[in-house]
Amino acid sequence: MASNGEAVIRVEGLHKSFGHLEVLRGIDMEVRKGEVVVLFGRSGSGKSTLLRCVNFLEDPTSGSVEVAGIKIEGGHRTPHKREQIRLLRTHCGMVFQSFNLFPHMSAIQNVMEGPVTVKGRKPEEARAFCKELLDKVGLGEKADQHPIRLSGGQQQRVAIARALAMEPDVMLFDEPTSALDPELIGEVLGVMKSLATDLHMTMLVVTHEMGFAREVANRALFFHEGQILEQGSPEQMFSNAREPETKKFIEAVL
């Protein structure tokens, strides 16, 4: 996947503490337009916390995050900053481990919710657009089904369509397959792969799916104890990692 060099996400000097526990210890990174960047590492190394700081689900303790030209400093939230955060989030689609669909709404109603309530699109126009997105993730025929009638993999694909419905500049994926049965993982990774290859979507992905990283990612970043210990192309990282900690982790998961 080619990238044109323009940074869509820029993180500078990012620290995040929960009480006395410092989870992120000075993260500097960029994700360029059209790039797929995979974050990997042990549980508790800070990957998901970084993702949640990018769209301010967690407030960084210090440092700054810039998404699509909107730059916000960490620290205390002010009314002005809250408005900036709201604007920044309109540029980010987020897909979580658990699908977080509204159980009382059908698949298409879940996907339409953002465009209608946040962006003010007319329901009939939003419905046609969202039906196309459900078709894109292979669930057009399930549009009127409620989440309880869908498998975990189908629910996660609805969640991806819901994030895409906001027409974001970047998609953030926080271990999107970790809650799925093994036989359902492939269908979600297939959708993510098509986003990267067909739509050239800019993606920041926390995942343990090394096959996906090797096939789809432009870069892989190895997190260790709240820092980026090593980064490079997936090929270089998986076959020729420099750091002993990276090597040890890759040998354990591959």
Side-chain angles (χ1 to χ4, degrees), residues 41-113:
R42 291 178 187 82
S43 294
S45 58
K47 312 175 302 293
S48 292
T49 300
L50 173 67
L51 215 62
R52 293 172 69 84
C53 284
V54 167
N55 71 351
F56 282 82
L57 287 173
E58 298 287 354
D59 278 323
T61 306
S62 62
S64 67
V65 173
E66 184 178 334
V67 177
I70 300 160
K71 184 174 181 176
I72 305 178
E73 301 289 335
H76 179 64
R77 276 196 192 192
T78 61
H80 172 64
K81 188 192 268 188
R82 278 195 286 275
E83 178 54 31
Q84 281 186 301
I85 289 169
R86 190 196 64 74
L87 191 59
L88 178 144
R89 284 180 182 157
T90 64
H91 295 276
C92 292
M94 180 105 180
V95 178
F96 300 89
Q97 294 177 34
S98 51
F99 327 120
N100 294 345
L101 298 178
F102 294 115
H104 62 288
M105 292 181 175
S106 67
I108 197 158
Q109 287 169 333
N110 268 281
V111 179
M112 287 170 60
E113 181 68 13

Side-chain angles (χ1 to χ4, degrees), residues 41-42 52 65 72 75-76 79-80 89 100 106 110 142 148 153 161 171-172 196 200-201 212 219 225 236-237 247 253:
R42 291 178 187 82
R52 293 172 69 84
V65 173
I72 305 178
H76 179 64
H80 172 64
R89 284 180 182 157
N100 294 345
S106 67
N110 268 281
K142 303 282 189 186
I148 198 168
M171 288 282 281
L172 309 175
H200 306 295
M201 177 64 73
F212 170 83
R219 280 189 296 139
E225 295 181 351
Q236 181 247 307
M237 293 287 278
K247 283 181 178 161
V253 297

Side-chain angles (χ1 to χ4, degrees), residues 6 64 114 128 135 152 154 179-180 183 186 220 224 244:
E6 170 198 338
S64 67
D135 287 338
Q154 289 170 335
L180 298 177
E183 71 272 17
H224 180 64

Side-chain angles (χ1 to χ4, degrees), residues 17-218:
S17 297
F18 295 97
H20 295 300
L21 179 65
E22 193 174 26
V23 179
L24 295 176
R25 301 188 294 146
I27 301 292
D28 294 299
M29 60 168 282
E30 287 187 351
V31 181
R32 295 183 292 277
K33 188 174 172 61
E35 199 176 24
V36 178
V37 175
V38 163
L39 313 180
F40 71 109
R42 291 178 187 82
S43 294
S45 58
K47 312 175 302 293
S48 292
T49 300
L50 173 67
L51 215 62
R52 293 172 69 84
C53 284
V54 167
N55 71 351
F56 282 82
L57 287 173
E58 298 287 354
D59 278 323
T61 306
S62 62
S64 67
V65 173
E66 184 178 334
V67 177
I70 300 160
K71 184 174 181 176
I72 305 178
E73 301 289 335
H76 179 64
R77 276 196 192 192
T78 61
H80 172 64
K81 188 192 268 188
R82 278 195 286 275
E83 178 54 31
Q84 281 186 301
I85 289 169
R86 190 196 64 74
L87 191 59
L88 178 144
R89 284 180 182 157
T90 64
H91 295 276
C92 292
M94 180 105 180
V95 178
F96 300 89
Q97 294 177 34
S98 51
F99 327 120
N100 294 345
L101 298 178
F102 294 115
H104 62 288
M105 292 181 175
S106 67
I108 197 158
Q109 287 169 333
N110 268 281
V111 179
M112 287 170 60
E113 181 68 13
V116 172
T117 60
V118 179
K119 289 195 156 184
R121 289 184 80 156
K122 292 188 174 72
E124 60 277 11
E125 175 200 321
R127 187 178 176 88
F129 169 61
C130 293
K131 175 65 165 61
E132 281 177 28
L133 290 175
L134 284 172
D135 287 338
K136 198 166 277 170
V137 299
L139 288 174
E141 79 288 355
K142 303 282 189 186
D144 295 315
Q145 299 274 11
H146 281 65
I148 198 168
R149 303 262 175 225
L150 303 175
S151 71
Q154 289 170 335
Q155 289 186 56
Q156 191 62 297
R157 286 188 281 154
V158 172
I160 292 171
R162 177 180 61 184
L164 288 171
M166 294 300 287
E167 301 175 276
D169 292 286
V170 62
M171 288 282 281
L172 309 175
F173 291 89
D174 186 9
E175 298 195 40
T177 59
S178 65
L180 298 177
D181 293 333
E183 71 272 17
L184 301 176
I185 288 172
E187 65 189 57
V188 172
L189 293 178
V191 167
M192 292 170 64
K193 186 177 166 186
S194 76
L195 292 183
T197 54
D198 302 341
L199 299 184
H200 306 295
M201 177 64 73
T202 308
M203 293 160 61
L204 184 58
V205 184
V206 173
T207 186
H208 292 296
E209 298 293 336
M210 296 296 108
F212 170 83
R214 178 172 267 160
E215 196 178 348
V216 180
N218 301 93

